[in-house]
Amino acid sequence: MLSAKEVKFMETNKATIQRGDQNTFLVLNVNSQDFKIILTDDNPNNVKEVFNKLLLELKKGLFEFELEDETEDLYYHICQEYILQLNDELQIIYQELEEYELLEE
């Protein structure tokens, strides 16, 4: 638990959209690792896998994502909303990890 003098630092990580001929991905970059969520395929296992990896990174410290993309198409708007919800979820889960003392030192 932080003392009154300590301030929490939240890292902001980059999220990008990788558009391809076959598939389009939301790419979440954390600690120089890219985690890709397939946007053009209904694959819940892919989303679960990425989320589990994000949880492992979350134990190391609180972070959020910011979308960096120049093309305001449908994928951009979907990813903006997805990232808003993901950031909220990460913050809630981080607080729970902190409460149950599951954070890495």
Side-chain angles (χ1 to χ4, degrees):
M1 189 64 86
L2 297 174
S3 71
K5 292 181 182 180
E6 292 178 301
V7 177
K8 281 188 182 180
F9 172 73
M10 185 185 315
E11 185 176 332
T12 300
N13 295 312
K14 182 171 73 167
T16 57
I17 301 170
Q18 183 180 27
R19 295 168 179 86
D21 292 335
Q22 296 292 328
N23 289 309
T24 300
F25 301 89
L26 172 60
V27 182
L28 305 169
N29 184 278
V30 181
N31 296 326
S32 301
Q33 295 181 64
D34 285 340
F35 302 113
K36 294 182 178 184
I37 297 174
I38 303 169
L39 300 174
T40 49
D41 187 20
D42 184 23
N43 186 346
N45 289 331
N46 169 250
V47 176
K48 286 182 204 175
E49 182 181 330
V50 170
F51 195 73
N52 286 335
K53 289 177 181 177
L54 292 176
L55 291 180
L56 292 174
E57 293 297 323
L58 194 59
K59 287 183 171 186
K60 299 173 188 174
L62 184 58
F63 58 86
E64 67 180 4
F65 291 100
E66 184 176 298
L67 183 61
E68 295 180 6
D69 192 79
E70 305 263 330
T71 308
E72 287 199 33
D73 58 2
L74 181 60
Y75 291 120
Y76 174 86
H77 293 289
I78 289 169
C79 290
Q80 276 287 65
E81 185 60 34
Y82 189 91
I83 289 170
L84 282 173
Q85 291 180 22
L86 178 61
N87 286 340
D88 287 344
E89 287 294 321
L90 291 173
Q91 184 132 17
I92 291 166
I93 292 169
Y94 183 83
Q95 291 170 350
E96 290 176 3
L97 290 170
E98 188 175 44
E99 181 180 328
Y100 293 106
E101 299 179 359
L102 296 172
L103 298 175
E104 294 179 9
E105 295 296 321

